[in-house]
Amino acid sequence: INTKPANAITPEQASKSYDTYASTYDDLDGGSIASSLGIDDARKNLLRSAKGNVLEIGVGTGLNLESYDYDSIDSLTLVDISEGMLSQAKLRLKEKQGGDTPIKFVQADATSELTSLFGEDKFDTVVDTFSLCVMGNEGAKHCLEEMAMVVKKREGGGQILLIENTRASNPLLGYYQDITASTAADVGGKGC
């Protein structure tokens, strides 16, 4: 088992890398393979719980946009470090409108800028699906701290909704993840 700390590319490298392959990203992280693995169902099940003023970090190409229950959402703020990914999310939103829900796109580094951009206790729900794993150990820690600051306290109804992946319990698949994760991260930051 690989027990060394997970490293990550810098935020600047991540932005540039994701800008480069934003238009083909869904081939890697969406589509029929993701659906057959139950990822689409997991997104829908989790995101039905989003309510009030919602912040999604690492929105990427907007794969979550069709899974929200917009009748339960007052506003949706979508953050990504990559302008290319945000552009793809905007295109996806044009295809699947969220009704009258105000939707805002923000290019920002979720590991360091959420509190300074939005302030404390501002969102009823904060969502992250599959982005912490590309931030490395320190980046993920800082991002979780930022999310905890911008979400309303639990007593006020605040919630953080996460879907992340871990090393597979299947030994063969786990071994495959071990030998490919670093290489995948080195060539584009998607080392989940």
Side-chain angles (χ1 to χ4, degrees):
I1 296 176
N2 182 0
T3 59
K4 64 183 181 180
N7 294 315
I9 57 179
T10 67
E12 294 78 18
Q13 291 169 320
S15 178
K16 184 176 180 183
S17 178
Y18 282 113
D19 283 351
T20 301
Y21 63 85
S23 64
T24 59
Y25 180 83
D26 288 354
D27 296 339
L28 172 68
D29 214 34
S32 61
I33 293 174
S35 185
S36 68
L37 292 172
I39 293 172
D40 293 340
D41 289 338
R43 289 178 195 275
K44 287 178 182 143
N45 289 335
L46 179 77
L47 297 173
R48 272 190 236 139
S49 300
K51 64 183 183 316
N53 295 312
V54 178
L55 170 67
E56 180 179 340
I57 65 141
V59 68
T61 63
L63 287 170
N64 289 337
L65 290 172
E66 63 189 56
S67 298
Y68 285 107
D69 174 7
Y70 288 94
D71 291 335
S72 300
I73 295 176
D74 298 326
S75 70
L76 181 59
T77 302
L78 305 169
V79 171
D80 202 281
I81 198 160
S82 164
E83 185 58 44
M85 293 297 232
L86 289 170
S87 294
Q88 293 298 310
K90 289 173 187 175
L91 289 174
R92 176 172 266 124
L93 184 63
K94 284 182 182 177
E95 296 170 11
K96 302 189 184 324
Q97 275 299 338
D100 294 332
T101 304
I103 299 175
K104 180 178 175 183
F105 294 86
V106 179
Q107 184 178 6
D109 180 355
T111 67
S112 63
E113 297 179 328
L114 299 180
T115 307
S116 63
L117 285 172
F118 304 116
E120 296 183 17
D121 303 318
K122 296 297 179 184
F123 295 97
D124 301 292
T125 305
V126 176
V127 172
D128 170 65
T129 60
F130 304 111
S131 73
L132 292 174
C133 61
V134 300
M135 297 178 188
N137 292 346
E138 285 302 309
K141 176 184 170 197
H142 292 302
C143 185
L144 288 166
E145 291 168 350
E146 288 282 319
M147 293 189 318
M149 295 296 286
V150 298
V151 72
K152 292 180 181 176
K153 302 302 175 232
R154 184 177 299 178
E155 306 81 51
Q159 60 181 347
I160 297 175
L161 305 177
L162 302 171
I163 298 178
E164 287 295 332
N165 54 17
T166 61
R167 187 180 187 277
S169 59
N170 175 301
L172 186 58
L173 184 54
Y175 176 72
Y176 173 78
Q177 288 173 304
D178 290 343
I179 64 172
T180 61
S182 292
T183 302
D186 289 343
V187 297
K190 190 65 180 163
C192 300

